[in-house]
Amino acid sequence: MREWSAQPPSLPFAVLDVETTGLSPARDRIIEIAVVRCAPDGSFLDEWSTLVNPGRDPGPTHIHGITASDLTGAPSFEDIAEELRERLAGSMVAAHNLSFDAGFLAAEFQRAGSTTPDQPAVCTLQLARHVLKDNEGYSLAACAATLGIDHPNAHRALADTRVTASVLAAMITLLHPPSDQD
C-alpha cells in the first residue's frame, strides 16, 4: 500500500471475480468467472466472462442465481484454463477479497493439471481499508456505495468484476488525483 501511496501503479489490471458452488476451494468448484482488464489508471480496456461447468450441483443458487440448467453445455475449467491464463498475463490481478478468488483459482488450475499464474496482485478489500479508512464496512457493496458506484446484479461474476474495477479506479483517483499525474 505504501508503494501505491507514493506513485500510481504501472501495470494494467486484470480484475476478476468467481462465483462458486460453496466456500471451500478444496471441496467446491468455480461455476462462473469474469475478467475486466483495465489500464494502470483504472480505465476500462475489455471484459470476458463465462459460466463453468463444475461437474456437480451449482450450490447456493439463492445467492448467485446460477442453476444446473444454466451450466448445461458450459465449458469445464480445464477447457478455459489457457484462455484465462492469457487474459491475466502481463497484468496485476485484482479482486475484492483476493484470497477467496485466488484460493479457488489455485485449486482449479491444480485440478486441471496446470500451475497457477504467478504475477503481482492487489486485493481491493485491503486497499479499501487503507483508502476508505473510516468506512462503516468494506464489503464490495459498502465500498461501491461510499464511492457512489451502482452495484446491480450482485453475486454474478461479470457484474461484480465491473463494480470492483470501478471501485479500484475510484480508489486510484483518490490516491493519485489527475492533477498529480500531469
Side-chain angles (χ1 to χ4, degrees):
M1 297 304 146
R2 277 185 233 114
E3 287 177 26
W4 280 39
S5 296
Q7 64 184 22
S10 59
L11 286 174
F13 294 97
V15 183
L16 68 88
D17 185 62
V18 298
E19 297 303 325
T20 65
T21 62
L23 301 175
S24 170
R27 291 187 311 271
D28 295 305
R29 303 295 302 269
I30 291 175
I31 57 172
E32 185 178 37
I33 189 164
V35 176
V36 171
R37 290 190 48 94
C38 302
D41 66 359
S43 59
F44 173 84
L45 297 172
D46 64 31
E47 62 185 32
W48 169 82
S49 70
T50 185
L51 291 171
V52 179
N53 190 330
R56 58 167 280 190
D57 181 274
T61 298
H62 66 283
I63 294 174
H64 50 61
I66 300 168
T67 65
S69 63
D70 293 331
L71 299 171
T72 301
S76 68
F77 188 86
E78 188 173 324
D79 294 336
I80 63 140
E82 192 54 39
E83 182 171 5
L84 176 58
R85 183 182 302 285
E86 290 169 11
R87 291 184 175 279
L88 300 177
S91 62
M92 179 177 289
V93 173
H96 202 78
N97 194 8
L98 177 65
S99 63
F100 180 85
D101 299 86
F104 272 92
L105 287 177
E108 291 288 4
F109 274 110
Q110 183 177 22
R111 285 183 194 108
S114 182
T115 58
T116 305
D118 182 22
Q119 56 204 98
V122 63
C123 177
T124 56
L125 172 63
Q126 295 301 320
L127 185 61
R129 288 184 173 139
H130 174 76
V131 176
L132 308 174
K133 287 183 175 97
D134 297 323
N135 221 36
E136 297 230 355
Y138 296 98
S139 67
L140 182 57
C143 293
T146 295
L147 295 166
I149 298 166
D150 288 334
H151 190 189
N153 300 317
H155 300 296
R156 286 305 301 260
L158 185 57
D160 285 353
T161 304
R162 288 172 177 158
V163 171
T164 302
S166 295
V167 166
L168 176 62
M171 290 192 295
I172 290 170
T173 299
L174 288 171
L175 285 170
H176 303 283
S179 60
D180 287 354
Q181 297 173 7
D182 293 338

